[in-house]
Amino acid sequence: MSTNNSTPENSIASEQNTDHRITGPHHEPPTVANATTYWRCEACERESIREQDLHREAFHAEDCGVADRC
């Protein structure tokens, strides 16, 4: 029995309010040429292979709610 009460990252409970956060790393399928990992802003749906890009306000769309927290 686990004593850890935190919500697993991939559980349904962790998907609440996913529209205003940065998620990743996401892995492209191996069938994609030059497959890589990337991060996504769920609010404005922009993606980057560099996580630090998503922590810059200028990266996000003008009306993005995540940009306000950068």
Side-chain angles (χ1 to χ4, degrees), residues 14-36:
S14 70
E15 293 180 14
Q16 297 171 2
N17 197 19
T18 58
D19 57 336
H20 288 96
R21 67 183 186 127
I22 296 170
T23 60
H26 301 281
H27 304 280
E28 293 180 320
T31 55
V32 174
N34 299 319
T36 187

Side-chain angles (χ1 to χ4, degrees), residues 28 36-39 47-54 59:
E28 293 180 320
T36 187
T37 58
Y38 61 94
W39 284 260
E47 300 172 346
S48 177
I49 60 172
R50 294 183 305 271
E51 182 181 11
Q52 65 269 25
D53 286 348
L54 281 85
F59 175 83

